Amino acid sequence: MVVDTARLLKLSHAGMDNLADIKAKTKVGTGCGGCMPLVTNIFKAEIAKAGIVTNNNLCPHFAMSRTELFNVVKIKGLKSHNEIMVTCGTVKDSLGCETCKPAIASILSSLYNEHVMKPAHHQNQDTNDRYLANIQRNGTFSVVPKCAGGEITPDKLIVLGQVAKKYGLYTKITGGQRIDLFGAKKHELPAIWGELVAAGFESGHAYGKSLRNVPPSKVVKILDRYLMFYIRTADKLMRTARWIENFEGGVERLKGIILNDDLGICADLEREMEALVGTYACEWTAVVNDLEKQKMFRQFVNTEETTPQIEQITERGQPRPADWPKAFPAVRIEEDEIKLPRSQWKWRQLAKVSDLMPIQEGVTSAAIKYGDTQLAIFHVPNKGYFATQQMCPHKRAFVLDHGIVGDDLKGNIYVSCPLHKRNFSLTNGECLSDPDYKILAFDVKAEGDDLSLLLPDPTELDPVIGTSKWMIRQATAEMYGRGGAGQIDIVGPDGRYKPELELVHEQEPQTACAGACGDSKLEW
C-alpha cells in the first residue's frame, strides 16, 4: 500500500491523533506491514510537534513498551501468555491482539527457547512460526533447509531434487547460499521434512528470520552481544537497521556498549546467548517425531480431501501460483446473498471437539470442508466456539484459520488475517480495521464431542463463498492488469469467477482493460 508522507502529515495536522485511525483512513500498514516503523516515527514526531503527549505502549492491552514488558517477564519469571496478561495486562482476562501476541511469543522464545508449537505458545504465533515455514500468496509454504556456508554434499543435493520433484516444488538457489523449495502444501510439510530430516538436514529457520550465514568465528562473540542487546531493547516489529537508527547516542554509543563493554553487561549478554544455544534443537525434527504436532498441519480436519487454493501455472519449466492482481475491489459478503433464509438453515455435524485440540491456555482453530466451501472453526477459552468462512476477501486467500485471534478493550473477538492483518469479528463478520470488507460468520454448538454448524445446504452456500467462485486464476490477474496470454476465464468486477460468462478472449491481453469503457466498474 503506497501512502505518501505528505498525506500522513496532513492527517496528523488535522487532529487525527492515533495510528489506528490513520491506518483505517489511509490503509497504510495493511500490506506487508514493513512500513509501520517509519510511519510510527513520522506520526510520533508530528504529534510531539503539536504538543500532544504520546506513549510507547506495546498495544492497548499493555500500558508499557515492549522493552519494559521484556524486563518484567524476565524478572518475574513469567512463562506463558496467560501469566503475562494476568500480571501485566490492562484487562486481566483479555485474549491480546495481533500486535502483543507475537511480541510475547518473541519474548518467551528469547528467554526460555521452548518449542514454538507447544500448545500454550502456538496461539501467539503468526502463520510463519505457527507452521515453521513462510506462507506464500497461494496459502502454500516454503521449505528452507540449513546449508551452512552454502556447503552441501552430493547426496543431500540429490535428496533436495527428489523431494522437489516428488512434491512439485519450485526450486531456487538464493543469495543466502541456500536452496529454497516453494509451493509446499501445509498438510505435506511434515512428510517433506520427514524425508529431509532422514537425509540429515536441519531447519534453516527462514520463517523466524533468525538464522543466516554464519561469519568467521572471531566475530561470533560480538554478534552474540549485539543480538542479545537488540532482543532486550528493540521496540515491537523493529528490525535491526531501524533499531540502530533510533538508538540513543547512535552507532558510536552502540559500539561502546558492544565492543568496549561500557555498561559492564557483555558477559551477561554472552551468557544469555550460550543458554539459548545450549537449548537449541531443530524444530522440524521435533515435529517429525511427534504425531500430535503433525495433526496441526491438516488442511481440513473433517476429510482427507485437499483443495487447491490458487491456480498453478508453469513458468520456465517450474510450477508457481498465478499472479496476484495489483489490487482487488473491496468486497462485503452479506448473508442475504444466500438465497435460503437463515430460518431454514440446519444444524450440520461437521467436526469433533477433539479436532480442534482445545486447551485452556489459548485459542485453537481448524478448517473444514463443506461442499465446495471452506470454513474456519475457532475455540476461544471461556468464550466458546465460533465459525467463519475460511477466505479473507482482501486477497482471496483461504487462510483465516491460521490467523491470530484477539479482542479489543470492549471485548469484541476477532480473527486477524495472517497475510495483511484485516481483523474480522467472529460474531458478525464485520472487518473492524477496514469497513469496506465483511465475511460470513456462523453459529456453532458443541454436543459431547460433536461440533455442529448452522448452515444452508452446500448448493445454497457454494455460489456465495465456494472455493471455485473465489480462487485466484491467471485470468484474475490478467483482468486486473498483470498481463498474460492465452485463453482465459471471465472474472467479474468484484473478482468472483463467472462461469456463466466463460468465453475465449480473442484480443490481445493489453486491450482487455484499457480504460476505454468509461465506467471503472465495467473494467474487468
Side-chain angles (χ1 to χ4, degrees):
M1 179 61 64
V2 178
V3 180
D4 61 57
T5 304
R7 189 178 182 200
L8 295 177
L9 297 178
K10 183 178 180 180
L11 289 173
S12 61
H13 294 162
M16 195 167 286
D17 60 357
N18 67 83
L19 275 174
D21 287 347
I22 288 178
K23 288 178 72 173
K25 182 72 173 179
T26 66
K27 307 297 190 295
V28 67
T30 56
C32 70
C35 62
M36 282 312 297
L38 177 60
V39 171
T40 301
N41 288 342
I42 294 171
F43 169 75
K44 287 181 177 178
E46 292 305 308
I47 291 296
K49 289 180 183 177
I52 300 174
V53 178
T54 62
N55 62 60
N56 194 32
N57 291 349
L58 178 61
C59 71
H61 298 97
F62 291 94
M64 60 183 74
S65 68
R66 190 262 183 197
T67 302
E68 291 167 338
L69 183 61
F70 180 95
N71 291 325
V72 172
V73 171
K74 181 178 180 180
I75 292 169
K76 291 184 176 291
L78 306 176
K79 292 192 173 183
S80 72
H81 174 274
N82 287 2
E83 285 183 357
I84 293 171
M85 189 62 73
V86 169
T87 305
C88 308
T90 55
V91 179
K92 306 305 180 185
D93 62 349
S94 175
L95 298 175
C97 66
E98 70 278 11
T99 298
C100 64
K101 278 190 167 184
I104 288 172
S106 172
I107 290 170
L108 293 176
S109 180
S110 300
L111 291 173
Y112 308 116
N113 207 24
E114 295 180 325
H115 198 282
V116 297
M117 294 190 74
K118 182 178 178 180
H121 302 324
H122 205 225
Q123 61 146 352
N124 301 325
Q125 310 294 340
D126 257 324
T127 298
N128 291 350
D129 287 304
R130 180 174 293 202
Y131 297 112
L132 309 181
N134 284 337
I135 192 171
Q136 309 299 304
R137 65 171 176 261
N138 62 339
T140 63
F141 293 83
S142 63
V143 174
V144 185
K146 181 180 178 181
C147 293
E151 292 185 355
I152 186 169
T153 66
D155 287 339
K156 285 187 175 180
L157 196 60
I158 289 170
V159 169
L160 286 179
Q162 291 172 334
V163 167
K165 190 172 183 179
K166 179 178 179 179
Y167 294 96
L169 307 180
Y170 180 97
T171 309
K172 179 180 179 182
I173 299 175
T174 74
Q177 299 180 326
R178 297 185 298 198
I179 298 176
D180 292 4
L181 312 177
F182 298 96
K185 300 176 179 66
K186 183 178 73 173
H187 65 277
E188 292 178 341
L189 285 171
I192 290 171
W193 274 103
E195 296 188 33
L196 295 178
V197 168
F201 283 104
E202 291 184 352
S203 172
H205 290 86
Y207 49 88
K209 306 296 184 288
S210 54
L211 185 65
R212 289 294 184 265
N213 295 330
V214 178
S217 58
K218 66 182 180 180
V219 299
V220 168
K221 274 194 173 183
I222 295 173
L223 279 179
D224 286 350
R225 299 173 186 174
Y226 173 85
L227 290 174
M228 293 311 297
F229 192 58
Y230 161 73
I231 289 171
R232 280 188 176 190
T233 60
D235 199 3
K236 61 183 182 292
L237 301 177
M238 180 175 280
R239 293 179 179 269
T240 51
R242 300 289 84 76
W243 173 62
I244 293 174
E245 287 178 1
N246 293 297
F247 193 79
E248 187 175 353
V251 69
E252 292 302 318
R253 175 58 175 159
L254 187 60
K255 284 168 60 177
I257 295 170
I258 301 300
L259 299 180
N260 304 327
D261 200 13
D262 287 354
L263 299 182
I265 62 172
C266 284
D268 301 283
L269 297 176
E270 291 174 15
R271 185 169 55 251
E272 289 176 1
M273 180 60 83
E274 287 174 4
L276 291 179
V277 172
T279 57
Y280 168 79
C282 174
E283 292 167 338
W284 264 114
T285 299
V287 173
V288 168
N289 296 324
D290 189 330
L291 293 178
E292 285 300 304
K293 286 186 174 66
Q294 291 177 32
K295 290 180 180 178
M296 300 178 186
F297 290 86
R298 295 172 291 180
Q299 184 178 14
F300 304 115
V301 297
N302 65 331
T303 179
E304 294 298 320
E305 294 180 32
T306 60
T307 299
Q309 311 287 53
I310 190 172
E311 182 185 15
Q312 289 287 106
I313 65 173
T314 300
E315 186 172 78
R316 295 187 296 276
Q318 293 207 79
R320 72 163 180 85
D323 292 321
W324 257 353
K326 293 179 181 178
F328 273 121
V331 174
R332 290 177 56 85
I333 302 177
E334 304 285 356
E335 187 177 304
D336 60 13
E337 295 183 46
I338 302 172
K339 294 180 180 179
L340 191 70
R342 177 180 281 263
S343 60
Q344 297 181 41
W345 296 6
K346 298 179 180 179
W347 288 103
R348 302 169 194 272
Q349 193 273 315
L350 294 176
K352 298 289 186 181
V353 168
S354 54
D355 288 332
L356 270 73
M357 296 184 278
I359 57 172
Q360 191 59 33
E361 293 93 335
V363 176
T364 57
S365 58
I368 58 175
K369 189 173 187 291
Y370 178 64
D372 187 44
T373 293
Q374 300 182 43
L375 302 172
I377 307 179
F378 307 88
H379 173 258
V380 182
N382 305 318
K383 305 291 185 180
Y385 292 90
F386 302 84
T388 68
Q389 65 187 59
Q390 171 75 326
M391 182 199 70
C392 173
H394 174 231
K395 288 293 186 180
R396 317 306 195 245
F398 298 84
V399 295
L400 289 184
D401 75 311
H402 303 177
I404 288 176
V405 172
D407 59 10
D408 59 25
L409 296 184
K410 297 178 182 179
N412 296 311
I413 302 173
Y414 60 82
V415 60
S416 184
C417 175
L419 292 178
H420 300 109
K421 296 296 181 283
R422 260 61 178 189
N423 297 340
F424 296 97
S425 167
L426 292 185
T427 55
N428 60 26
E430 288 287 347
C431 186
L432 305 179
S433 53
D434 191 338
D436 291 338
Y437 294 91
K438 184 178 183 293
I439 63 173
L440 296 181
F442 304 94
D443 295 336
V444 186
K445 69 177 180 181
E447 296 176 321
D449 191 40
D450 292 338
L451 287 179
S452 299
L453 279 68
L454 186 63
L455 297 168
D457 188 86
T459 57
E460 300 284 347
L461 192 58
D462 288 345
V464 180
I465 56 172
T467 303
S468 300
K469 185 84 172 179
W470 291 97
M471 185 175 75
I472 300 279
R473 305 165 190 272
Q474 187 62 17
T476 319
E478 289 168 348
M479 291 299 93
Y480 284 95
R482 279 287 189 187
Q487 295 184 343
I488 62 174
D489 300 320
I490 289 299
V491 179
D494 60 0
R496 309 185 197 203
Y497 174 49
K498 304 289 187 180
E500 68 275 13
L501 298 178
E502 187 172 346
L503 50 79
V504 176
H505 198 287
E506 298 178 349
Q507 297 178 336
E508 289 298 317
Q510 298 94 307
T511 64
C513 186
C517 299
D519 185 345
S520 61
K521 293 180 180 178
L522 299 177
E523 294 180 0
W524 294 356

